[in-house]
Amino acid sequence: ELENQLVAKSKTLDELKERLVSDGSAEETPEAQSLRIAELCEMKDSIVNQVAQLKASVESILEQWRAYDEIYAEVSLMTTRYLYCIDQCKPSEEEASLEALKKQVKTLQ
């Protein structure tokens, strides 16, 4: 999307350059037009550099989010497994009764 916007801005800038050159307006001398064109080119280069930096930054952030998503999925799976194990290891009410424990002790003796 940013690249498309940059392309559109570049086209607009090129059109403005052509108009300045073809108009030959009496208000500006060729030297002034030349300076103005140079300024516009510098602005365009600055925008191109900013977009490149932004693109690299966004790619880095997306890579970090991908890593986060992978790690989150692993942690979620492990948590589900641990909760299942804890649930399965809970003694039932029958097993936790005093009588049941006495029977277990007798059996073990």
Side-chain angles (χ1 to χ4, degrees):
E1 184 180 325
L2 290 173
E3 289 176 0
N4 292 338
Q5 290 178 358
L6 180 61
V7 169
K9 298 274 184 194
S10 294
K11 287 179 183 177
T12 304
L13 183 60
D14 291 338
E15 289 172 6
L16 287 173
K17 283 185 207 175
E18 289 175 14
R19 282 188 204 159
L20 281 174
V21 171
S22 66
D23 279 353
S25 64
E27 297 173 5
E28 291 187 44
T29 63
E31 293 83 15
Q33 289 178 350
S34 167
L35 288 174
R36 181 78 173 132
I37 290 172
E39 289 174 8
L40 291 173
C41 287
E42 286 178 22
M43 291 169 64
K44 176 184 172 186
D45 291 341
S46 173
I47 291 171
V48 168
N49 289 336
Q50 289 175 4
V51 168
Q53 290 173 352
L54 183 60
K55 186 176 179 181
S57 177
V58 168
E59 286 174 1
S60 171
I61 291 169
L62 286 174
E63 186 60 35
Q64 291 174 1
W65 273 109
R66 283 187 206 104
Y68 169 81
D69 285 340
E70 290 174 11
I71 292 169
Y72 180 82
E74 287 179 34
V75 168
S76 179
L77 180 62
M78 285 191 284
T79 303
T80 302
R81 286 179 180 166
Y82 292 137
L83 290 174
Y84 176 79
C85 289
I86 289 171
D87 188 51
Q88 294 301 312
C89 293
K90 284 183 184 176
S92 66
E93 289 180 25
E94 253 180 43
E95 295 170 351
S97 72
L98 183 59
E99 292 300 318
L101 291 174
K102 284 181 184 178
K103 285 181 185 177
Q104 285 180 353
V105 168
K106 286 182 184 178
T107 307
L108 290 173
Q109 291 174 346

